[in-house]
Amino acid sequence: LLNIWKTNQISMKERKASSIFPLLSRINHNCIGNAYWTWNDKSNEQRLIALFDIDKDTEIIVNYLGVDPLNSKTRTAQLKQEFNIECKCNLCINDRLNTKMDKI
């Protein structure tokens, strides 16, 4: 149960809490998301907001770490620590390739 919580909970930093939501917790991660979630105090609910128009049949994806940009090292560490995932999005793959090229 703890692993289910760890990998599916949504952190609501503004409320200093986290929760599992039946639909929103099923949305996959991508460092370049096309939506984000936010808590709405007025309606007392978690909402999913599109960052731009999303084409039909396009997967809705959210950056689990929020919309603020983070450097590759920080992103990788936080995703591993908080969600036990190794992101394979285009941004992370390019970051890994650039790191390998820097070592050459």
Side-chain angles (χ1 to χ4, degrees):
L1 288 177
L2 185 57
N3 285 337
I4 292 171
W5 175 264
K6 187 173 183 176
T7 57
N8 291 285
Q9 56 90 18
I10 295 175
S11 177
M12 300 176 291
K13 293 177 179 145
E14 61 277 355
R15 294 180 55 92
K16 297 180 181 163
S18 59
S19 185
I20 292 181
F21 299 90
L23 295 176
L24 295 182
S25 293
R26 297 176 53 90
I27 296 173
N28 288 323
H29 166 80
N30 191 304
C31 292
I32 307 170
N34 56 18
Y36 71 99
W37 43 53
T38 186
W39 183 260
N40 184 303
D41 281 325
K42 189 174 182 179
S43 62
N44 199 34
E45 66 184 6
Q46 188 77 351
R47 292 201 174 165
L48 181 67
I49 310 291
L51 291 167
F52 47 83
D53 290 341
I54 301 170
D55 292 333
K56 182 181 177 184
D57 297 328
T58 299
E59 179 182 15
I60 296 173
I61 47 179
V62 172
N63 183 336
Y64 290 176
L65 302 177
V67 294
D68 295 327
L70 298 171
N71 68 48
S72 175
K73 194 173 195 175
T74 303
R75 260 192 348 263
T76 302
Q78 282 187 343
L79 287 169
K80 185 67 174 171
Q81 179 183 6
E82 294 178 31
F83 301 98
N84 195 31
I85 60 174
E86 183 178 329
C87 185
K88 293 181 177 24
C89 75
N90 289 335
L91 182 63
C92 288
I93 289 170
N94 287 335
D95 285 346
R96 286 186 204 107
L97 289 173
N98 289 335
T99 300
K100 286 179 184 177
M101 293 298 288
D102 288 346
K103 292 179 181 180
I104 296 177

